[in-house]
Amino acid sequence: MIGYVDVGGGNRAAYGAGVLDYCEDHNILFDYCVGVSAGSANLASYVARQTKRNMRFYTIYNLRRQAIKPANIFLHRNVINFDYLYGEVNGSKGEDPLDYHTLSSSPIAFKVVLCRADNGQPVYVDKSEIAFDDYGPFAASSNLPVFNNAFEWKGVKYYDGGYADPIPFKKALEDGCDKVIITLTLPKDYFRTNEKEVKRARHMKEYPAVKQAMINKAELYNQQLREALELEKQGKVLIIAPAEKPQIKTLGKDVSEIIKLHDVGYKDAEKIVDFLK
């Protein structure tokens, strides 16, 4: 069974959108997908066979004033307007609906990683738990601490899945995958530092476990990256990542850089063909 992991990364996840566009264009279908943050949205479109819509989000919808309002961080914290993105745009009556029927009926196994606000532990939401016009798991998986309040779905509050399991290849292996493709949005020789997250964590008062997860995120990411690199040497994992650190930030709005990232991802995806032989 072939697994695919998309770690997301805000608008930098346009790189992963490029990888998936290549897979769509060359009819490469994975058996199992697991996505984190924006990576879960990328994969929702892939499983629904709508990969081209991902770039409409990165270059149109995500850039609108209704979608991201930095000023809100000083008032209500809800910088990212998930009601707009996953309702007014993504919903069945929205501007660019997700094909829920194709998503739900696809033979591809698909899971979304969330971080519980109360204990900081990962939760893996199966696509069978995602209901028509209820795309809460995708919003919850992308819900950045401090920037946004905790996102409530089915009575439980969540934050971005990257704080609990940033590179969830182990989940793919545990669920039966023999080989796993991992798409990163940072170079595979880039190891994170925690200075920025530590500063942000000072503002996280309500959920101590999430605060600790923010402080530990770099260490956890780096540990998982080292393990993935070892598995890559053994031929069990393929890491697809940009050769250079993207010039755009997580919530960056430079369309030319977003498109450039997509195109680099599309080109880099050629490696998948040999890996699957």
Side-chain angles (χ1 to χ4, degrees):
M1 187 162 74
I2 304 299
Y4 185 91
V5 173
D6 190 326
V7 306
N11 285 339
R12 290 193 307 236
Y15 177 84
V19 174
L20 292 173
D21 277 347
Y22 178 91
C23 293
E24 181 79 18
D25 289 346
H26 294 80
N27 200 33
I28 298 174
L29 294 176
F30 305 109
D31 303 298
Y32 176 103
C33 295
V34 55
V36 183
S37 193
S40 68
N42 279 350
L43 287 171
S45 293
Y46 169 76
V47 177
R49 305 308 299 268
Q50 295 174 285
T51 60
K52 298 299 188 292
R53 71 193 289 274
N54 283 325
M55 282 303 285
R56 293 197 289 273
F57 274 82
Y58 295 121
T59 61
I60 301 174
Y61 313 130
N62 286 0
L63 308 187
R64 290 176 177 168
R65 293 183 64 185
Q66 303 100 304
I68 299 177
K69 299 181 178 181
N72 276 6
I73 197 169
F74 301 108
L75 298 173
H76 311 295
R77 277 197 178 177
N78 290 319
V79 172
I80 305 171
N81 185 350
F82 293 116
D83 288 338
Y84 172 74
L85 291 173
Y86 289 104
E88 295 181 42
V89 178
N90 230 15
S92 60
K93 297 181 180 179
E95 190 170 350
D96 204 336
L98 177 67
D99 186 345
Y100 176 80
H101 175 73
T102 301
L103 172 75
S104 60
S105 62
S106 171
I108 300 172
F110 175 35
K111 296 188 177 181
V112 179
V113 186
L114 282 56
C115 174
R116 282 189 63 129
D118 57 356
N119 60 22
Q121 294 301 302
V123 171
Y124 305 94
V125 177
D126 188 86
K127 71 173 184 179
S128 63
E129 302 174 65
I130 299 172
F132 179 71
D133 271 355
D134 179 6
Y135 302 131
F138 305 124
S141 186
S142 303
N143 191 40
L144 294 172
V146 179
F147 287 92
N148 275 51
N149 294 313
F151 187 94
E152 185 170 335
W153 183 67
K154 292 187 176 181
V156 180
K157 294 184 178 181
Y158 297 100
Y159 278 108
D160 191 307
Y163 289 89
D165 193 356
I167 314 176
F169 67 91
K170 288 183 181 178
K171 180 61 177 173
L173 294 171
E174 289 171 3
D175 285 350
C177 293
D178 305 298
K179 288 188 172 185
V180 179
I181 296 156
I182 301 170
T183 295
L184 305 177
T185 50
L186 294 169
K188 65 180 184 179
D189 60 355
Y190 182 90
F191 292 91
R192 292 177 178 270
T193 58
N194 70 348
E195 286 87 354
K196 289 184 179 179
E197 290 290 354
V198 169
K199 288 181 180 178
R200 291 192 189 109
R202 296 172 187 166
H203 302 284
M204 174 51 71
K205 310 290 186 183
E206 191 173 359
Y207 300 103
V210 174
K211 179 176 183 177
Q212 193 59 49
M214 294 173 71
I215 294 169
N216 295 341
K217 183 182 179 181
E219 181 181 354
L220 177 58
Y221 177 94
N222 294 343
Q223 175 188 331
Q224 291 184 338
L225 177 57
R226 291 188 184 97
E227 292 172 357
L229 288 167
E230 283 301 313
L231 289 175
E232 188 173 46
K233 292 176 183 177
Q234 299 172 29
K236 295 180 181 179
V237 161
L238 171 66
I239 301 175
I240 301 177
E244 299 178 353
K245 184 179 178 182
Q247 296 301 305
I248 189 171
K249 295 182 179 180
T250 302
L251 299 180
K253 296 186 176 185
D254 188 327
V255 174
S256 64
E257 288 296 326
I258 291 171
I259 293 173
K260 185 188 300 184
L261 262 181
H262 169 274
D263 294 347
V264 172
Y266 192 98
K267 178 67 175 176
D268 288 349
E270 294 175 359
K271 302 171 187 176
I272 294 175
V273 177
D274 287 336
F275 181 70
L276 296 180
K277 287 181 179 177

